[in-house]
Amino acid sequence: MGAGETSTRGRLRAVPWAVLALWVGVLAVVGPFAAKLADVQHDRVTDYLPASADSTRVARIQDRLPGGETTELVLVYHRDGGLTAADRSLAGEQVERIAGRHALTTTPQGVPSTDGTTLMYPVASNEPGTDEDRRDALVDDVREVAHGEGGLSVRVGGPGALATDAAGVYDSLGGPLLYTTVAVVALLLILIYRSPVLWLVPLVVAGVADYLSTGVAYGLHQAFGTTVSGQSTGVMTILVFGAGTDYALLLVSRYREELRRHERPYDAMRAALRGCGPAVLASSATVAAGLLCLLAADLNSSRGMGPLGTVGVLCALVAMLTLLPAVLVLLGRRVFWPLVPAYGGTPRERRSLFAAMGTSAGRRPLVVLAGGAVLLGALALGTLNLPGALKQEDAFVDRPESVTAMRTLAEAYPERSSQPITVITPAGRAGPTLTAVRGTPGVDSARKGRSGDGWTEISVIASDAPQSAGETRTIEELRRELKGSYVGGPSAQQLDLGDTAARDRLVVVPIVLACVLLILVLLLRSLVAPLMLVAAVVAVWGAALGIGGLVFGPLFGFGGTDPGLGLLSFVFLVALGVDYGIFLMHRMREESRNGAEPVAAALTALRTTGGVIASAGLVLAATFAVLTDMGLVQLVELGFVIAVGVLLDTFLVRTYLVTSASVALGRTVWWPGRLSRTPGPLRPKRQPEPV
């Protein structure tokens, strides 16, 4: 061995150590910021409301009024057989104690139900302090004071209590979500790799990427004011582990293949990165571009999820293309023990499930395509059975105290609302506005509230139940009549959420499709293949949403569908689903460039990538399925639809439909690119290894 070659090898051995040292330095810098992300995470109403809606303006103006945003509660005293005099006396004493301990906007007055079973006390406070801390402290203290005895039930409801209970669920997501995700990914990697060591490497690297993403997300918030909510940080963690593990599976599979052709792990890793790197880069670019399209949404929860989701995907990409290769090279071949790939060896021949599936798809491609299209279309009809818009009190999987209180109120007071509508009007027009409000059909009562910063707050009680059709008509009538004023409150917020979600779908969906198509065209140098892949993932989205419609109400017992479910599930399923199409079509294009005929290229691509795609699909579906155990209906619905969609995409669309379409189209699939008209090999052919 010459001195020059020895020197070169020494430099090459130093590269992985240099990468490792660089990552240690990056984590040292990011560490202090990562710890601060929880401090800027908020789940306030304005973090989820539409940016331009009336209800959002009301909430922001309330923040500037004396005392800030009002915390509104309802104390509900109930006895099935009817309230006794002692019950009413106890209720009065407890309300007086609450009024003595907190600065209430008005003296609470009890409102008895007509059947005598229930007594409610509306309570509102503007105590000093940050909105969330003040609200939670008030709710906790009121619940401590208000208690029943001898069959008397006392529960605290109202918008403030609902918000506190929702925030409690979001606060509890961080730890359980991370631990459950790690456990699920670890179990699947052990089953996939069948190695006591190998599974740990991508899992640790994914954990490092997650830590990096929290620091970057905090920096993004500080620099641009990006909204950080419990929903967006939870999805960011899911994407880091789900997408990151997918990239690791593809890289490790190709690395194992190259170790049989190269003696040194460093050379094998370089070949693996050259082989699968473009597909991984294009895959992550597709997901990132799709998520960034959410910046065009008007819904704050969707808009904030775009940048944080993109941070998660890009951090996973960087970690899996730099840190993971460095660690694998340093550990050498022994990391694959006991199934160590030997240099110059050949893999054990075994019957390939995906080869058999590909053969069946390639034998009658048009029949397979027609059958798959009919199946997906039939499943998509389930969207007609999706429940209506999700009400605020139906947002919890398990019924907390606030929801029980609101249900009791709805049964005891069917003739009136227990939840105020808030009107914000210029202070100089408060009198005429109050008169106009009282004369509006559907208004039971209205009173003037606080004034400040040029605005006056008017509290309105509708004559119909909260979030009913009658109350919705009242809100719409108030908005038509009160020019220059804003109408908000919990029911108005839910109305705005639904309207804005419909608007966002019309705006964001075309942008996502255009971005994804552009990336696919640049990668595959074709128009037909990208259109085929996009059509496939759109069909998967419709089918997955249809399955949701078949189970959300009848099986899960959900009372509604989150307004943002359609848009978010579309963005994730299109962006993530195209991932697997990229893996498959990139390998198919590589085989075609090596001179394979269209049918052989399609079947070889499925045989060599089918196992990786199946493993990646299982991991990604399992990570999103973690959301189904998180306690909020909107997270359960999102996790379920994405998990089901990924499984459909992995085991039906990629395996059968895309392969069958590629076989049926032949070279046309690469039109108008060079491969659509070049029958001969473009470079020496290499025998691929089944995975």
Side-chain angles (χ1 to χ4, degrees):
M1 183 184 300
E5 185 178 354
T6 302
S7 176
T8 300
R9 289 194 175 188
R11 287 196 300 270
L12 294 182
R13 283 196 296 268
V15 171
W17 287 109
V19 172
L20 203 60
L22 179 62
W23 268 95
V24 171
V26 168
L27 294 180
V29 173
V30 169
F33 302 104
K36 296 180 180 180
L37 184 64
D39 298 335
V40 299
Q41 175 182 316
H42 297 288
D43 293 289
R44 300 164 299 190
V45 172
T46 51
D47 294 325
Y48 290 86
L49 287 177
S52 61
D54 262 25
S55 55
T56 310
R57 292 190 176 101
V58 167
R60 288 173 177 165
I61 292 173
Q62 283 181 315
D63 285 340
R64 304 200 302 265
L65 292 177
E69 184 179 355
T70 301
T71 301
E72 295 171 333
L73 308 175
V74 181
L75 276 68
V76 183
Y77 293 83
H78 176 81
R79 187 185 290 273
D80 289 335
L83 294 171
T84 65
D87 294 338
R88 295 187 179 89
S89 176
L90 176 64
E93 292 174 3
Q94 292 180 353
V95 171
E96 286 182 8
R97 196 185 317 164
I98 292 170
R101 296 169 64 163
H102 298 279
L104 305 183
T105 58
T106 59
T107 302
Q109 300 294 326
V111 181
S113 63
T114 55
D115 61 4
T117 62
T118 309
L119 179 65
M120 75 169 178
Y121 278 90
V123 174
S125 173
N126 299 113
E127 291 181 316
T130 61
D131 288 337
E132 290 176 89
D133 294 341
R134 177 187 60 196
R135 179 199 66 204
D136 295 344
L138 175 65
V139 172
D140 292 342
D141 190 64
V142 169
R143 284 175 171 170
E144 182 180 342
V145 173
H147 61 276
E149 53 190 33
L152 173 67
S153 67
V154 184
R155 295 184 175 90
V156 180
L162 286 167
T164 293
D165 289 339
V169 175
Y170 277 118
D171 290 342
S172 67
L173 286 183
L177 179 66
L178 177 61
Y179 304 146
T180 307
T181 303
V182 170
V184 167
V185 173
L187 177 61
L188 290 174
L189 287 177
I190 292 173
L191 294 175
I192 291 168
Y193 286 137
R194 291 170 292 169
S195 167
V197 178
L198 182 57
W199 66 272
L200 191 59
V201 178
L203 187 64
V204 170
V205 173
V208 171
D210 184 56
Y211 189 72
L212 174 65
S213 69
T214 57
V216 176
Y218 176 79
L220 205 63
H221 170 80
Q222 294 298 102
F224 302 102
T226 304
T227 299
V228 179
S229 66
Q231 185 184 47
S232 59
T233 55
V235 169
M236 182 178 71
T237 296
I238 291 290
L239 284 172
V240 170
F241 280 92
T245 305
D246 282 3
Y247 304 151
L249 287 169
L250 189 66
L251 177 64
V252 172
S253 172
R254 192 61 177 259
Y255 177 52
R256 186 199 297 266
E257 181 180 338
E258 297 296 341
L259 280 172
R260 301 184 189 278
R261 303 188 180 98
H262 298 274
E263 181 179 2
R264 293 184 299 174
Y266 182 88
D267 296 331
M269 182 57 72
R270 288 181 61 187
L273 287 172
R274 282 197 303 268
C276 68
V280 172
L281 287 171
S283 168
S284 60
T286 304
V287 178
L291 290 172
L292 284 178
C293 291
L294 287 172
L295 289 172
D298 192 37
L299 207 61
N300 277 341
S301 55
S302 299
R303 183 197 293 265
M305 189 177 295
L308 262 67
T310 302
V311 165
V313 170
L314 294 182
C315 287
L317 170 71
V318 172
M320 294 306 169
L321 290 187
T322 59
L323 181 59
L324 178 62
V327 174
L328 289 175
V329 169
L330 289 174
L331 293 176
R333 297 175 185 271
R334 59 184 178 276
V335 74
F336 289 94
W337 185 87
L339 304 175
V340 179
Y343 170 58
T346 56
R348 185 181 59 183
E349 292 292 335
R350 59 178 182 231
R351 182 175 179 81
S352 170
L353 172 65
F354 292 96
M357 296 169 77
T359 301
S360 64
R363 191 175 296 126
R364 295 182 179 86
L366 295 180
V367 174
V368 172
L369 273 175
V374 170
L375 175 61
L376 292 176
L379 291 174
L381 292 176
T383 55
L384 301 175
N385 196 49
L386 283 169
L390 188 68
K391 294 183 178 180
Q392 195 175 23
E393 61 264 27
D394 293 329
F396 301 89
V397 175
D398 297 321
R399 188 180 298 178
E401 179 182 338
S402 57
V403 172
T404 303
M406 302 306 285
R407 297 278 174 87
T408 302
L409 288 174
E411 295 171 0
Y413 302 87
E415 75 286 351
R416 63 166 288 161
S417 175
S418 57
Q419 186 166 273
I421 300 168
T422 302
V423 174
I424 294 291
T425 189
R429 294 166 46 191
T433 301
L434 182 60
T435 301
V437 168
R438 287 172 174 167
T440 302
V443 172
D444 181 75
S445 63
R447 62 177 177 81
K448 191 187 300 183
R450 301 168 292 163
S451 294
D453 199 33
W455 299 94
T456 295
E457 179 185 72
I458 296 174
S459 182
V460 182
I461 298 296
S463 56
D464 295 284
Q467 295 180 240
S468 63
E471 190 196 40
T472 298
R473 286 193 298 270
T474 301
I475 293 171
E476 292 172 343
E477 185 67 24
L478 286 170
R479 286 177 169 173
R480 277 193 297 268
E481 294 294 328
L482 305 178
K483 304 301 180 183
S485 301
Y486 303 116
V487 180
S491 296
Q493 292 164 4
Q494 295 300 113
L495 181 63
D496 290 337
L497 284 172
D499 292 343
T500 307
R503 173 263 175 198
D504 285 349
R505 285 196 296 272
L506 294 176
V507 173
V508 177
V509 165
I511 298 175
V512 171
L513 291 176
C515 287
V516 170
L517 272 173
L518 179 61
I519 293 174
L520 289 176
V521 168
L522 293 175
L523 174 71
L524 301 177
R525 296 172 178 83
S526 163
L527 291 178
V528 176
L531 288 171
M532 177 181 68
L533 292 178
V534 170
V537 293
V538 171
V540 166
W541 169 69
L545 211 56
I547 294 175
L550 298 177
V551 302
F552 286 163
L555 187 61
F556 295 169
F558 293 162
T561 305
D562 178 56
L565 175 65
L567 176 62
L568 292 179
S569 61
F570 178 85
V571 171
F572 282 112
L573 281 178
V574 168
L576 295 170
V578 167
D579 269 12
Y580 303 136
I582 289 174
F583 296 161
L584 180 66
M585 297 301 291
H586 185 268
R587 189 61 181 256
M588 193 184 302
R589 188 173 189 278
E590 185 178 345
E591 295 302 319
S592 298
R593 284 171 56 84
N594 287 335
E597 291 299 316
V599 174
L603 299 184
T604 299
L606 178 62
R607 178 169 56 88
T608 55
T609 65
V612 179
I613 291 176
S615 301
L618 283 173
V619 170
L620 191 62
T623 52
F624 271 99
V626 170
L627 291 175
T628 62
D629 193 38
M630 290 296 112
L632 288 175
V633 170
Q634 62 185 30
L635 294 180
V636 174
E637 291 178 342
L638 181 64
F640 178 86
V641 170
I642 295 177
V644 168
V646 168
L647 292 177
L648 281 175
D649 189 81
T650 302
F651 294 101
L652 173 63
V653 173
R654 293 294 153 245
T655 304
Y656 282 110
L657 302 190
V658 172
T659 302
S660 297
S662 300
V663 170
L665 290 170
R667 294 190 180 278
T668 307
V669 76
W670 303 115
W671 185 87
R674 186 179 178 186
L675 290 177
S676 65
R677 56 185 183 275
T678 304
L682 301 180
R683 61 187 183 190
K685 185 175 180 180
R686 186 179 68 182
Q687 183 65 31
E689 175 187 345
V691 179

